[in-house]
Amino acid sequence: MRQETTVIPFAQNGLGEKMDGPDDATDLLRQISHGRISAGALARFVGLPLAPAPHPEWTRFMCRRLRHGDIPVRAGDPCQHLYVVIRGSFCTRTIDAAGKARVIAFERASDTLGLDGLASGRYTTESIALELTDVAVIPLAGLARPGYEGAALRTFIYRLLGRQILRNQAMMAMMAASRAVTRLGAFLFDWHARSDASLRFALPMRRTDIASLLGLSKETVSRTCSTLDRTGIVVMRRQRVTVLDREALHRTATGAIPSGATRSPVRRTSSSAPAHGVFAADDLVLLHRD
Amino acid sequence: MRQETTVIPFAQNGLGEKMDGPDDATDLLRQISHGRISAGALARFVGLPLAPAPHPEWTRFMCRRLRHGDIPVRAGDPCQHLYVVIRGSFCTRTIDAAGKARVIAFERASDTLGLDGLASGRYTTESIALELTDVAVIPLAGLARPGYEGAALRTFIYRLLGRQILRNQAMMAMMAASRAVTRLGAFLFDWHARSDASLRFALPMRRTDIASLLGLSKETVSRTCSTLDRTGIVVMRRQRVTVLDREALHRTATGAIPSGATRSPVRRTSSSAPAHGVFAADDLVLLHRD
DNA sequence: CGTAAGATTGAATTAAATCAACTACAGTGG
DNA sequence: CCACTGTAGTTGATTTAATTCAATCTTACG
């Protein structure tokens, strides 16, 4: 029943990286039993190979359920655990050189929280759960000790770290894109690609936080969303997104810009009425606040 | 003679982080003997604590000398080593989602190259030496094996990774700064702070590469350099930089902008003649191309 | 139903990209 | 030694894009 993990080759650039992700939701739930997840299941879940070990199922990590607004990682707290996101999403902030809070990432399933605490032993960031969220808790105490479930687990942690570095690099490449529509397009395409490649998904964070991450003003984010909506590439209604033209969105994200969009107001049929029939009564399932 | 390492507390944000750096050049040279550096000396050099180990001097890493243009890390190559920069600097590029090369970092003493290869086992970036450079080579083979010089070394690697994540975060915060003068100011201040806090230093990379890193056009980088020069904050002559007003540079970097600078041409006395006497005949020592 | 926080839109302003010279400098070969 | 040449850097003029300030609009929620 538990097929051996297929090592997914990673794309050159973490942004477009196709996630292994959960095999499917029910399978994942099977892997989590009694609030714990085995090292093997976690490795498969995040899509990283776990080197052969005598008993990969013997090491099990605690799982914690967090609600909207919960803060597992707080700047200044001693770094005792890493958190691998199983379900849900987080917003991670840091204090920049000017003393202002800045969003530096939104974490989702298979991302890791708390890696910034490894260097000094204290977290430097603050991660807030944006919705109902499950995380696997990896204790750091004794991780380097020879006896700690052997070499396989350590290699796994190294890969986890390595991947986060990859994702940071992809993020930086994204933010260096000159135009707002390119940055936002890349952000949306990434969110789409990591939403099980579904064309419909929710953005659980505020426009202000997207703006902070991308280095834009919230007005520009809002306007650019409207432009993408108006040109028919996506439908954006607050937190609900439907991708209508995946290829065009990808072109937008890579800088092949559909520029010169007119600045006419987005026509809305009426309050919360479905546009093109893309939103139905079950829209609520898109975002569980808690 | 070899005083035990003082654990340097890390700043909240990696950008303004005061480097431990080499105790001094001669001390560093003492620590490198026969082309090798001990784990203990390397840990002290990069300013990260090495947990107590029976014999921290027993593990020694090979050192390699690289010349301008050498490429120790190449995208696609199998990731077999990490490289800790001892001396000199590198420019690291990646291929972004649009297929264009993009500078994602300039590495300097105590930075680590090759961490992006840990996730998949192959490097995704390319690092080019910008000048005469020394690196310590950390072999990854067997790093996770129980016997590999014990736990202390592994912890050290974790911290090395954690710090690079911190620096990436700081970089992202810098790049999210809206204004060009803020980004460039942060870049220069960082370079200054990590040049042994010296007020005179060289920028071994091209303007084009700074522009690529910061997400600006090369013309804007050039113009902004001229503006900072004109306002008397720094003197910039091609690759040579002298900080005249460190506090003003810091204010610029944190967004407290000395805006409204006039757009008059930078007055140069004559070809390569010293301005304000800040450049002398020994300017050449600032940059060793090879 | 009223309220407040978040989101959107508009108009005016400001900053940066782009296009196009032009300059400085290192390296090369006469 | 000097002219030639190509690369990197600088500057100006113009166009384009994003910010800012301000006014609604929408929606979640008590």
Side-chain angles (χ1 to χ4, degrees):
Chain A
M1 179 56 57
R2 177 173 276 132
Q3 80 282 2
E4 256 321 290
T5 212
T6 310
V7 179
I8 306 291
F10 288 91
Q12 181 91 337
N13 187 302
L15 258 193
E17 182 181 314
K18 177 68 179 69
M19 291 308 308
D20 190 12
D23 306 315
D24 60 71
T26 53
D27 190 42
L28 178 64
L29 288 180
R30 243 193 301 115
Q31 293 168 349
I32 302 180
S33 55
H34 306 297
R36 291 160 185 270
I37 185 170
S38 73
L42 185 61
R44 277 195 300 283
F45 176 68
V46 302
L48 286 173
L50 184 64
H55 300 287
E57 311 308 321
W58 281 12
T59 300
R60 300 182 90 81
F61 300 111
M62 293 292 299
C63 290
R64 274 180 63 190
R65 171 151 297 183
L66 300 172
R67 283 189 234 163
H68 176 239
D70 284 352
I71 305 177
V73 167
R74 217 181 273 268
D77 282 0
C79 173
Q80 294 168 331
H81 309 96
L82 302 179
Y83 301 92
V84 177
V85 182
I86 304 286
R87 185 166 70 106
S89 55
F90 289 88
C91 174
T92 295
R93 290 188 176 79
T94 191
I95 307 297
D96 71 6
K100 283 195 257 291
R102 216 174 242 302
V103 175
I104 56 163
F106 297 113
E107 286 89 0
R108 317 190 57 195
S110 90
D111 278 327
T112 308
L113 305 178
L115 294 173
D116 56 273
L118 284 175
S120 70
R122 289 185 181 274
Y123 300 122
T124 62
T125 58
E126 173 165 293
S127 295
I128 303 182
L130 293 172
E131 54 191 312
L132 183 66
T133 298
D134 290 318
V135 295
V137 182
I138 300 180
L140 287 174
L143 182 62
R145 256 207 317 272
Y148 191 85
E149 181 52 34
L153 192 58
R154 280 193 290 269
T155 303
F156 174 67
I157 304 287
Y158 281 126
R159 289 193 174 124
L160 216 49
L161 277 150
R163 184 160 68 172
Q164 207 57 38
I165 284 173
L166 272 188
R167 288 192 174 153
N168 286 354
Q169 287 178 355
M171 178 77 76
M172 283 177 42
M174 176 174 90
M175 287 181 37
S178 44
R179 299 193 46 196
V181 70
T182 307
R183 289 189 225 181
L184 188 69
F187 174 78
L188 287 176
F189 192 83
D190 182 50
W191 205 263
H192 150 70
R194 297 189 57 192
S195 295
D196 205 16
S198 166
L199 292 175
R200 282 179 59 195
F201 53 90
L203 293 176
M205 72 295 288
R206 298 175 303 181
R207 295 281 191 267
T208 302
D209 289 331
I210 298 176
S212 177
L213 178 78
L214 299 180
L216 302 169
S217 69
K218 65 182 191 301
E219 292 94 338
T220 297
V221 170
S222 190
R223 260 187 268 273
T224 309
C225 286
S226 297
T227 302
L228 288 175
D229 184 298
R230 200 176 307 118
T231 54
I233 293 174
V234 295
V235 178
M236 298 198 71
R237 293 291 179 274
R238 301 268 165 162
Q239 300 197 314
R240 293 186 273 282
V241 183
T242 302
V243 178
L244 297 179
D245 188 342
R246 191 176 175 281
E247 293 313 310
L249 181 59
H250 187 255
R251 281 196 300 277
T252 303
T254 53
I257 21 123
S259 173
T262 57
R263 281 209 180 186
S264 55
V266 179
R267 50 217 161 354
R268 306 195 195 282
T269 41
S270 85
S271 66
S272 81
H276 310 88
V278 288
F279 292 123
D282 62 346
D283 276 358
L284 294 183
V285 306
L286 281 172
L287 186 60
H288 309 272
R289 256 295 142 81
D290 144 292
Chain B
M1 180 54 59
R2 180 173 276 133
Q3 81 283 7
E4 258 319 289
T5 211
T6 310
V7 179
I8 305 291
F10 288 91
Q12 181 90 335
N13 187 303
L15 257 193
E17 180 181 317
K18 178 66 180 70
M19 291 307 308
D20 188 12
D23 306 317
D24 61 71
T26 53
D27 190 41
L28 177 65
L29 288 179
R30 245 192 299 114
Q31 293 168 347
I32 302 180
S33 53
H34 306 298
R36 293 160 183 269
I37 185 170
S38 74
L42 185 61
R44 278 195 299 281
F45 176 67
V46 303
L48 285 172
L50 184 64
H55 299 288
E57 310 308 321
W58 282 11
T59 300
R60 301 183 90 82
F61 300 110
M62 292 292 300
C63 291
R64 274 180 64 192
R65 171 152 297 184
L66 300 171
R67 280 186 242 175
H68 176 239
D70 285 352
I71 305 178
V73 167
R74 217 181 273 267
D77 282 359
C79 172
Q80 295 168 329
H81 309 95
L82 302 179
Y83 301 91
V84 177
V85 182
I86 303 286
R87 185 165 71 107
S89 55
F90 289 88
C91 173
T92 295
R93 288 187 175 82
T94 191
I95 307 297
D96 71 7
K100 283 195 259 290
R102 218 172 240 303
V103 175
I104 56 164
F106 297 112
E107 287 88 0
R108 317 190 56 195
S110 91
D111 278 327
T112 307
L113 305 178
L115 295 174
D116 56 273
L118 284 176
S120 69
R122 288 186 181 274
Y123 300 122
T124 63
T125 57
E126 173 165 295
S127 296
I128 303 181
L130 293 171
E131 54 191 311
L132 184 66
T133 298
D134 290 318
V135 294
V137 182
I138 301 181
L140 288 174
L143 181 61
R145 254 205 321 270
Y148 191 85
E149 181 52 32
L153 193 56
R154 282 193 290 269
T155 303
F156 174 67
I157 305 287
Y158 281 126
R159 290 193 173 124
L160 215 48
L161 277 149
R163 184 159 70 172
Q164 207 57 39
I165 284 173
L166 273 187
R167 289 192 174 155
N168 285 354
Q169 288 178 354
M171 179 78 75
M172 283 176 42
M174 176 174 90
M175 286 180 37
S178 45
R179 299 191 46 197
V181 69
T182 307
R183 290 190 222 180
L184 188 69
F187 173 79
L188 287 176
F189 191 83
D190 181 50
W191 204 264
H192 150 70
R194 297 189 57 193
S195 294
D196 206 14
S198 166
L199 292 176
R200 281 178 60 194
F201 53 91
L203 293 176
M205 74 294 290
R206 297 175 303 179
R207 295 280 191 267
T208 302
D209 290 330
I210 299 176
S212 176
L213 178 77
L214 300 179
L216 302 168
S217 69
K218 65 181 193 300
E219 292 94 337
T220 297
V221 169
S222 189
R223 259 188 270 274
T224 309
C225 286
S226 297
T227 301
L228 288 175
D229 184 299
R230 201 176 307 118
T231 54
I233 293 174
V234 295
V235 178
M236 299 197 70
R237 293 291 179 272
R238 303 269 165 164
Q239 301 195 313
R240 294 185 273 282
V241 182
T242 302
V243 176
L244 297 179
D245 188 340
R246 191 176 175 280
E247 292 313 311
L249 181 59
H250 187 256
R251 282 196 300 276
T252 303
T254 54
I257 23 127
S259 174
T262 56
R263 280 208 180 187
S264 56
V266 178
R267 58 251 159 311
R268 305 194 194 286
T269 40
S270 84
S271 65
S272 82
H276 311 89
V278 288
F279 292 123
D282 62 345
D283 278 356
L284 294 183
V285 305
L286 282 171
L287 185 61
H288 309 273
R289 255 295 142 82
D290 141 311

